[in-house]
Amino acid sequence: MNKKGFTLIEVIIVAAIIGIIAAVAIPNYDRYVVRSKRADGMGALLTAVNAMERFRGANNTYVGATAGGTFAAQVPPTGTAYYNVALSNLTATTYTITATPTGSMAGKEGALVLQHNGIRRWTDKNGTAHNCWPESGDDC
């Protein structure tokens, strides 16, 4: 008599293989999501810089430009934010724009900073400050 089906050992082997694949795939996916959201934050800062320069071109000063009026105060501009964008150190000739992680990015990433003179700073998830932005990956 021929019985068809899987033995318990075969099922356990398949479950172990799926577990190993998941153990590798899920952390990689999480890192990819963090990197893509970070790219959104960097893009928002670059958009904010463009807005600041347009404002200065029209007014000959940065004073009067605000995050809520000149550029988006959060990333993404609508929906649940994962970065809050703030303007600080605002004078006639200087500014600092900071994207601080919030929501799903809180604890997974540090702040992104861009200054009027083009200096870029990034704090990684370990709290280490870098004088650069990670253009493609987790380091710069």
Side-chain angles (χ1 to χ4, degrees), residues 8 14 19 30 33 38 43-45 51 62 64 68-69 76 82 93 108 116 129:
L8 181 59
V14 168
D30 287 343
V33 169
R38 182 189 315 130
L45 289 181
Y62 294 121
Y82 40 86
T93 58
K108 295 181 181 178
H116 67 283

Side-chain angles (χ1 to χ4, degrees), residues 23-69:
V24 171
I26 291 172
N28 285 335
Y29 175 75
D30 287 343
R31 281 193 300 274
Y32 172 78
V33 169
V34 167
R35 283 196 321 257
S36 67
K37 288 182 178 181
R38 182 189 315 130
D40 289 347
M42 291 186 300
L45 289 181
L46 293 173
T47 299
V49 166
N50 288 335
M52 294 297 290
E53 295 306 324
R54 281 192 308 274
F55 186 89
R56 183 168 189 220
N59 301 293
N60 202 30
T61 182
Y62 294 121
V63 175
T66 60

Side-chain angles (χ1 to χ4, degrees), residues 55-107:
F55 186 89
R56 183 168 189 220
N59 301 293
N60 202 30
T61 182
Y62 294 121
V63 175
T66 60
T70 309
F71 53 88
Q74 74 175 34
V75 178
T78 59
T80 304
Y82 40 86
Y83 279 103
N84 288 325
V85 180
L87 184 60
S88 62
N89 190 29
L90 186 62
T91 69
T93 58
T94 65
Y95 63 82
T96 301
I97 305 171
T98 305
T100 306
T102 187
S104 64
M105 288 293 284

